[in-house]
Amino acid sequence: MIPVQGFAGQKVAVLGLGRSGLATARALVAGGAEPLLWDDSAEARGKAEAEGFTCTDLLRHGAMDGVACLITSPGIPHLYPSPNKVIARAMALGIPVDNDIGLFFRSFATEVWGDFDTAPRVVCVTGSNGKSTTTALIHHILQVAGRPTQMAGNIGRGVLDIDPPQDGEVIVLELSSYQTDLARALTPDVAVFTNLSPDHLDRHNGMGGYFAAKRRLFAEGGPDRAVIGMDEPEGQYLANQMGEGPADDRVIRISSGSKLEGFGWSVFARKGFLSEWRKGKQMASLDLRTVAGLPGAHNHQNACAAYAACRALGVAPKLIEQAFHAFAGLPHRSQLVGERGGVRFINDSKATNVDAAAKALQAFPKIRWIAGGMGKDGGIAALGPHLGSVVKAYLIGHSARDFALQLGTVPAEICETMAQAVAQAAAEAEPGEVVLLAPAAASFDQYPNFEKRGEDFTARVKALLG
């Protein structure tokens, strides 16, 4: 646990009692603060009370008297589409609003660090797609390299729930736009921006607000090294703002598909090969085509980001290459579930938006595509240019019929359920083809989250494979 500093003897309100909220409450107590907890869910309050915490309705008259700060969970809106009533009340009273990420950065360093030979460092990863894979890959590389490391944030443990860092340890955090948007302290040593595509637009009032939330990690944080994906205009803009010119190697530009040879430091992948260039010279080259855990151009972008971050931490290219080959990938992200008769079954349930699904569809040559769920604005119309590898689509969930109308000449079958889609796709698949779950939609019509959807796909495939 990271005890929260700066609030000893003071009241701190905590709104939202999920994983991060309860971890925050424990860390506040460890730092000598008095937490006042609330969640609209009676079940969540019950879990907190079972740990010995007292819950207080923060909208009750006088409940916020003497409160030094309000800490809110990331899923609770603080501005758009409209502020939560408790947050609006705190702002009206002038009470600072923060989140666990802000508390982490203000509390991470301690006097104990004076005895360390090497100060602990923090790597933060943000972006639209690939955050989790990139975060896990950086963590994995550091483990292979023998570096002490912990992983937390939007993946794994809550940031305040990790162990106090050791001498020379590297903490790797995945941060969503919800987390970067509100944190009052952001001071990573290395910050990574993977890419940007439309998502969470209601929460950020459009693409401008969404990008602004991501940009805060760099503009507010001032990292020693910024690893920035250059495959969208927003990444090019961010790299331009962070650097003093093309030769400034504090910015490491990355790309999947474009040569980046004219910069102080760059890492890019083309035709399956990763190249590192520095000051006009190629420093290393890795063959990604044989890396089973990182298939497709989108994963090659993740590989470039992780490679660049670990090179910024001083890890040798040979060790990174070794770690790549030992990386099994994450569940629900281009995950190989099994193979039968030359047909592979891939679980990419995390492809909940059009951009992520497009990347999955470009990763394999012949696809039996399982898609559908709770479709987002525009459905799958934007996937038109990426459907050339689809042999047939098997559509499930609420938006199945809407998706079918947007597929043009691609053969499609309305299957409704995962069970029917898996059975039909498997029965029709031929050697050399891939049965791919890449829904391009949210899961909430049939499943509580994308993980449960992916688990259902995986279970049905494994039952079919015996």
Side-chain angles (χ1 to χ4, degrees):
M1 179 188 306
I2 305 293
V4 173
Q5 299 181 38
F7 292 107
Q10 300 182 69
K11 295 180 181 179
V12 178
V14 179
L15 178 64
L17 301 176
R19 183 192 65 173
S20 66
L22 284 176
T24 297
R26 298 182 200 111
L28 283 165
V29 170
E34 179 187 347
L36 305 178
L37 276 55
W38 185 250
D39 193 298
D40 289 340
S41 164
E43 181 182 359
R45 296 197 301 270
K47 288 181 180 179
E49 289 167 351
E51 287 196 32
F53 292 110
T54 300
C55 292
T56 303
D57 185 349
L58 296 174
L59 288 177
R60 182 173 50 80
H61 179 72
M64 299 268 241
D65 290 352
V67 168
C69 188
L70 170 66
I71 308 302
T72 178
S73 293
I76 301 174
H78 57 272
L79 186 56
Y80 302 114
S82 61
N84 175 277
K85 291 181 180 179
V86 172
I87 296 175
R89 178 65 177 154
M91 289 181 174
L93 293 171
I95 296 171
V97 179
D98 204 348
N99 60 20
D100 62 331
I101 304 301
L103 293 183
F104 168 82
F105 278 109
R106 70 179 285 164
S107 307
F108 184 54
T110 67
E111 294 179 355
V112 176
W113 288 23
D115 298 326
F116 290 168
D117 292 329
T118 304
R121 304 179 78 182
V122 179
V123 177
C124 292
V125 180
T126 196
S128 295
N129 298 308
K131 296 188 301 295
S132 296
T133 297
T134 300
T135 302
L137 186 53
I138 293 169
H139 178 61
H140 171 72
I141 293 167
L142 292 168
Q143 288 178 316
V144 170
R147 302 276 288 272
T149 179
Q150 296 181 73
M151 179 174 67
N154 206 40
I155 184 174
R157 303 159 73 181
V159 292
L160 293 171
D161 199 34
I162 68 171
D163 300 326
Q166 306 174 35
D167 192 338
E169 187 161 17
V170 180
I171 308 301
V172 189
L173 305 180
E174 177 192 341
L175 299 184
S176 71
S177 58
Y178 294 1
Q179 293 169 310
T180 58
D181 196 20
L182 192 61
R184 295 173 70 91
L186 285 168
T187 53
D189 297 284
V190 179
V192 179
F193 175 86
T194 58
N195 51 56
L196 197 78
S197 61
D199 212 355
H200 310 306
L201 300 189
D202 58 336
R203 175 68 179 263
H204 298 293
N205 201 33
M207 279 294 285
Y210 180 45
F211 175 55
K214 303 285 189 185
R215 180 181 173 274
R216 287 193 76 245
L217 181 63
F218 299 82
E220 305 285 334
D224 295 335
R225 283 277 192 275
V227 176
I228 300 176
M230 299 287 285
D231 294 332
E232 289 87 26
E234 291 86 355
Q236 296 166 22
Y237 172 85
L238 182 58
N240 184 272
Q241 286 209 315
M242 295 299 295
E244 294 297 327
D248 187 350
D249 66 2
R250 293 174 302 173
V251 177
I252 308 177
R253 292 166 169 85
I254 65 166
S255 174
S256 176
S258 298
K259 268 191 171 184
L260 301 174
E261 297 177 355
F263 300 100
W265 202 345
S266 62
V267 179
F268 57 89
R270 293 184 77 240
K271 299 180 179 179
F273 287 87
L274 180 152
S275 297
E276 177 189 2
W277 283 71
R278 195 162 187 185
K279 300 186 186 303
K281 295 181 180 180
Q282 185 171 357
M283 307 300 292
S285 177
L286 310 182
D287 186 353
L288 298 175
R289 297 172 301 174
T290 59
V291 179
L294 296 167
H298 61 303
N299 273 311
H300 292 178
Q301 183 186 62
N302 299 334
C304 289
Y307 178 99
C310 289
R311 290 291 289 132
L313 295 169
V315 181
K318 286 293 184 184
L319 279 175
I320 297 175
E321 183 176 21
Q322 177 186 338
F324 279 176
H325 284 283
F327 184 65
L330 291 179
H332 319 301
R333 298 159 177 88
S334 296
Q335 176 192 9
L336 176 62
V337 176
E339 184 173 349
R340 185 184 69 178
V343 177
R344 287 181 292 163
F345 295 82
I346 303 293
N347 168 21
D348 204 346
S349 183
K350 183 63 169 66
T352 58
N353 59 42
V354 164
D355 188 66
K359 289 178 168 61
L361 291 173
Q362 294 172 70
F364 307 100
K366 294 180 180 180
I367 298 171
R368 301 276 174 175
W369 179 32
I370 299 175
M374 187 66 71
K376 299 186 177 181
D377 288 347
I380 56 170
L383 285 175
H386 309 293
L387 299 177
S389 60
V390 177
V391 178
K392 183 176 176 179
Y394 304 82
L395 303 173
I396 64 174
H398 177 270
S399 298
R401 286 166 177 78
D402 292 336
F403 280 18
L405 294 173
Q406 296 178 307
L407 284 173
T409 60
V410 175
E413 182 172 342
I414 306 295
C415 293
E416 301 288 1
T417 66
M418 185 69 75
Q420 185 180 344
V422 170
Q424 195 67 22
E428 297 178 357
E430 299 179 357
E433 294 181 346
V434 166
V435 175
L436 171 68
L437 171 65
S443 61
F444 306 125
D445 56 333
Q446 294 177 312
Y447 303 94
N449 50 52
F450 74 84
E451 291 95 342
K452 291 297 182 185
R453 177 172 59 192
E455 288 168 9
D456 188 18
F457 173 82
T458 298
R460 296 187 185 282
V461 169
K462 289 187 173 180
L464 185 147
L465 299 180

